[in-house]
Amino acid sequence: MTDTLRTLIFDQSSCRAHLVHLSKAWQQVVNNNDYPRPVQKVLGELVAASTMLSASLKFEGSLIIQIQGDGPIRLLVAECNSRLGLRATVKLAEDAKIPENADFKDLVNATGKGICAIILDPRNRLPGQAPYQGIVPLAGTSVADSLEAYMHSSEQLETRLILNSDHNTAAGLMLQQMPQHGGVVSSKAFDADGWDRLTALINTLQTEEHLSTETDELAKRLFWEEDPDGLAERQAHFECTCSREKVGKMLVTLGQAELDDALSENPTVEIQCDFCNANYSFTRADCNALFTESPDNEGSQDPLPPTLH
Ligand SMILES: [Zn+2]
């Protein structure tokens, strides 16, 4: 089982492709939660996309894709950091009923009010500095359609995405047209038909072949005539960044009154991480210490605090 990201540069066509094939890392996401199959499929596609988009991060930190849905799925989150450590989670509506054949639109854009946000969160953000966030309405009938529309409107980059996932594998292929050499004269002549030819090649890819083929083999099969430059292969992995310290900061933002309420009903406040299921337990003494240690704490640096259970 491998978790591989491979980047190819098509110099003459001014294009770049990322290929990702996630097995072990994706299965850790799957095993952390028992999501219905249609939900799992959409989440896997989002995880593959976030891994490919984070490959272009120019700072140390994380890229987070959030889809806020108006159907049975209320929130989908896939996060990948600049070391290709990834995690993901889903929040379903309380009474969600998910038919076996539910598609992307049924799940997150039932009334056309779903939105997609991409958040860039540098690790060493200054106090008070908000992460960068771009938001677009959900478009089309898939995660790929929505992200292509996002890239087109926010980055002005022509992008073609192919995303597939099942219980075992999350796979992605992203082709992007790059700005042409920024004034530097290339040693090779620009190939104006390159984009059309490359998109035609990736459109031949079938779901089953995509899910069952590692990135090196797939790159050879699809692009052997194009002679791309291959950058070093990178390994992705599951990584949750939750910690007792971050949970403590989140509890401070809830305020002493809310914690007192919770502690009047139970001897401890229990917090479970939505991404990895880690459990954090705080006694009354622990909670009191949080407020005395950081009386004017501004709150959590984590844009996605865990849930109070
Ligand atoms: Zn966690």
Side-chain angles (χ1 to χ4, degrees):
M1 290 195 295
T2 60
D3 298 298
T4 310
L5 177 94
R6 186 173 295 276
T7 302
L8 304 172
I9 306 289
F10 302 88
D11 200 25
Q12 276 175 278
S13 309
S14 285
C15 291
R16 175 177 64 187
H18 294 298
L19 292 84
V20 70
H21 195 265
L22 302 168
S23 303
K24 193 175 166 199
W26 167 235
Q27 283 165 34
Q28 277 180 266
V29 174
V30 170
N31 293 337
N32 282 341
N33 288 284
D34 187 21
Y35 299 125
R37 286 296 167 105
V39 175
Q40 205 178 79
K41 181 177 182 307
V42 172
L43 187 65
E45 293 176 5
L46 205 66
V47 167
S50 70
T51 312
M52 293 189 292
L53 289 174
S54 73
S56 305
L57 283 180
K58 293 182 177 62
F59 58 85
E60 200 177 324
S62 296
L63 179 142
I64 303 153
I65 310 178
Q66 274 189 38
I67 290 181
Q68 279 176 35
D70 60 358
I73 294 181
R74 288 300 148 93
L75 183 67
L76 281 162
V77 182
E79 177 175 344
C80 187
N81 64 35
S82 38
R83 297 183 306 277
L84 298 188
L86 62 89
R87 62 179 189 167
T89 189
V90 178
K91 274 198 193 353
L92 298 175
E94 256 174 34
D95 52 352
K97 288 187 184 60
I98 309 216
E100 258 310 293
N101 60 354
D103 63 15
F104 178 75
K105 195 168 181 303
D106 301 331
L107 292 171
V108 294
N109 208 20
T111 63
K113 293 197 175 71
I115 56 168
C116 172
I118 295 191
I119 300 159
L120 301 177
D121 189 20
R123 192 163 74 92
N124 295 320
R125 222 169 352 113
L126 300 170
Q129 181 192 0
Y132 167 80
Q133 180 168 286
I135 299 178
V136 290
L138 291 180
T141 57
S142 66
V143 173
D145 287 348
S146 294
L147 293 175
E148 282 175 7
Y150 179 94
M151 298 304 285
H152 187 80
S153 71
S154 73
E155 312 269 322
Q156 272 98 50
L157 284 180
E158 211 51 63
T159 303
R160 177 88 178 90
L161 267 165
I162 297 179
L163 303 170
N164 284 295
S165 89
D166 64 11
H167 190 69
N168 298 312
T169 307
L173 200 168
M174 180 166 78
L175 182 70
Q176 278 187 317
Q177 209 161 34
M178 306 308 293
Q180 280 176 40
H181 299 293
V184 178
V185 179
S186 168
S187 57
K188 301 174 187 172
F190 175 63
D191 178 354
D193 298 327
W195 171 258
D196 289 342
R197 204 172 54 248
L198 290 167
T199 49
L201 283 174
I202 68 170
N203 284 340
T204 62
L205 185 57
Q206 301 293 314
T207 300
E208 200 170 311
E209 180 184 23
H210 195 195
L211 289 171
S212 62
T213 313
E214 299 285 347
T215 57
D216 54 346
E217 174 61 24
L218 194 60
K220 277 185 222 148
R221 274 190 214 170
L222 288 174
F223 303 123
W224 65 277
E225 282 187 302
E226 298 289 326
D227 193 26
D229 293 324
L231 303 181
E233 166 187 303
R234 297 177 64 194
Q235 295 300 316
H237 59 280
F238 180 84
E239 179 182 333
C240 192
T241 50
C242 68
S243 68
R244 188 172 176 84
E245 189 192 352
K246 283 186 186 174
V247 174
K249 285 181 179 174
M250 187 276 291
L251 290 177
V252 171
T253 65
L254 292 180
Q256 192 127 32
E258 185 154 345
L259 292 187
D260 284 345
D261 264 6
L263 287 164
S264 67
E265 290 167 19
N266 296 294
T268 56
V269 175
E270 301 291 327
I271 303 287
Q272 191 172 33
C273 175
D274 290 334
F275 291 94
C276 73
N277 292 337
N279 197 71
Y280 297 94
S281 181
F282 289 77
T283 62
R284 181 173 293 278
D286 293 334
C287 290
N288 289 342
L290 291 174
F291 287 92
T292 50
E293 281 164 12
S294 51
D296 51 12
N297 194 308
E298 287 289 308
S300 169
Q301 283 288 302
D302 195 334
L304 300 161
T307 311
L308 175 62
H309 290 277

